[in-house]
Amino acid sequence: MSSRRKVLLTLLSLPLVAVLPVHAKSAPLDMASAINKAGRQRMLSQRIAKVHAQLLLDVYPEKARPILKNSVALFDSQLAELKAFSPTPEIRRLYDHMGGLWVPYRTAALTLSGMPGLKQVAALNEGVLQVAQAATVALEKHAGTATAHLVNVSGRERMLSQRAAKFYLFRAAGLNGQDITSGLATARKEFEAGLAELKTAPQDTPAIKNQLLLASSQWAFFAIALNNYVPGTQKLDYLQYVATGSEHVLEVMDDTTGLYQSISKA
């Protein structure tokens, strides 16, 4: 058995779980936690689209269904929190705009209607992501600190893990085109650039450094899974590797973002 095959089998044996809370914590937001949750909205926009495609492909459906439900619930609760917290009129307008984009996307994501529905999800998720990105950047700018930037960068890595998997599964489900191919390549490139930036941050604590090493190893496994693609009929185990790998990168980077949030408060 090849070393690559052994790695992928190890990845497949790991559990695929909904690692994030169903509802955002009820404690009042401060700038650091707001940036973390704002960044998590970016990730959820991509995770929801990824899991929609995963369900159409019948990849771990019994695990994908609660992930979709919980991700939608978390997006709803965090959107309400972030609207209420908005420290400037500009940021409040961004969250009002996000709410308008979210309603049709939420409906499309929860309705499994084959290829027509997937195309709708593919179109709508990008608008939600763009506004979530703009709002997170605006919050970081308002905070104006180096640690706020690190919370943003680390949080964006969560999104990129889901975005890469989304494009892979979109392609496997039959959505082909240059935007899918280039989107996957760009997500991978940007994740690696973000990880490199975080590793050189002078604010990194020993705990954060250990998390970033773990992130590097999980990303390496996930990258191997992303490299396995056969045009046409895709092997189920390849799809399972991608679904599993994306969740483990997400889990590690969510924990890492929490650590950056903690030092941002210090």
Side-chain angles (χ1 to χ4, degrees):
M1 182 183 296
S2 69
S3 59
R4 171 175 290 190
R5 183 69 175 173
K6 289 179 181 177
V7 167
L8 291 175
L9 287 174
T10 299
L11 181 62
L12 192 58
S13 69
L14 296 171
L16 177 65
V17 295
V19 299
L20 301 178
V22 176
H23 298 291
K25 293 179 181 178
S26 58
L29 293 181
D30 54 29
M31 282 305 301
S33 59
I35 294 168
N36 187 354
K37 290 187 178 184
R40 190 179 286 134
Q41 296 292 82
R42 294 177 298 201
M43 178 279 293
L44 291 169
S45 76
Q46 301 305 285
R47 193 189 198 202
I48 289 166
K50 178 201 76 173
V51 177
H52 183 96
Q54 188 178 327
L55 284 167
L56 290 182
L57 291 162
D58 202 32
V59 178
Y60 291 134
E62 72 287 352
K63 298 172 183 178
R65 289 188 195 97
I67 289 177
L68 178 58
K69 179 182 177 181
N70 292 350
S71 294
V72 167
L74 183 55
F75 193 104
D76 276 332
S77 63
Q78 289 188 155
L79 179 56
E81 279 189 290
L82 291 162
K83 276 186 179 181
F85 175 80
S86 298
T88 69
E90 174 202 359
I91 293 172
R92 177 59 191 242
R93 282 193 294 271
L94 285 169
Y95 281 112
D96 286 341
H97 183 37
M98 182 187 291
L101 296 174
W102 168 241
V103 172
Y105 177 41
R106 184 185 194 275
T107 300
L110 291 172
T111 305
L112 296 176
S113 56
M115 183 58 70
L118 183 62
K119 288 180 178 179
Q120 189 176 20
V121 166
L124 293 173
N125 84 91
E126 292 294 328
V128 176
L129 172 61
Q130 288 170 12
V131 178
Q133 168 68 9
T136 310
V137 170
L139 284 166
E140 182 203 320
K141 183 179 179 181
H142 185 77
T145 65
T147 50
H149 175 68
L150 294 173
V151 174
N152 182 8
V153 173
S154 180
R156 190 167 183 268
E157 296 289 83
R158 298 174 296 195
M159 179 275 288
L160 292 168
S161 73
Q162 302 304 290
R163 189 166 175 79
K166 178 197 79 171
F167 283 127
Y168 185 102
L169 295 174
F170 275 9
R171 182 175 58 179
L175 283 182
N176 298 308
Q178 185 56 40
D179 58 330
I180 302 294
T181 302
S182 62
L184 175 54
T186 299
R188 295 180 65 168
K189 183 178 179 180
E190 290 181 354
F191 184 97
E192 290 167 2
L195 193 57
E197 179 181 351
L198 293 172
K199 285 181 176 179
T200 60
Q203 296 87 353
D204 288 354
T205 64
I208 289 173
K209 290 178 181 178
N210 286 337
Q211 276 295 117
L212 292 174
L213 286 175
L214 180 57
S216 294
S217 64
Q218 290 294 337
W219 175 256
F221 291 153
F222 183 40
I224 291 173
L226 290 171
N227 288 337
N228 282 275
Y229 186 78
V230 179
T233 302
Q234 185 69 326
K235 293 183 178 179
L236 178 60
D237 56 354
Y238 289 176
L239 302 175
Q240 291 173 333
Y241 298 147
V242 169
T244 304
S246 68
E247 288 297 303
H248 287 289
V249 175
L250 166 59
E251 181 176 13
V252 173
M253 289 312 306
D254 195 55
D255 289 344
T256 306
T257 307
L259 292 175
Y260 280 118
Q261 177 186 322
S262 296
I263 66 170
S264 186
K265 294 178 181 180

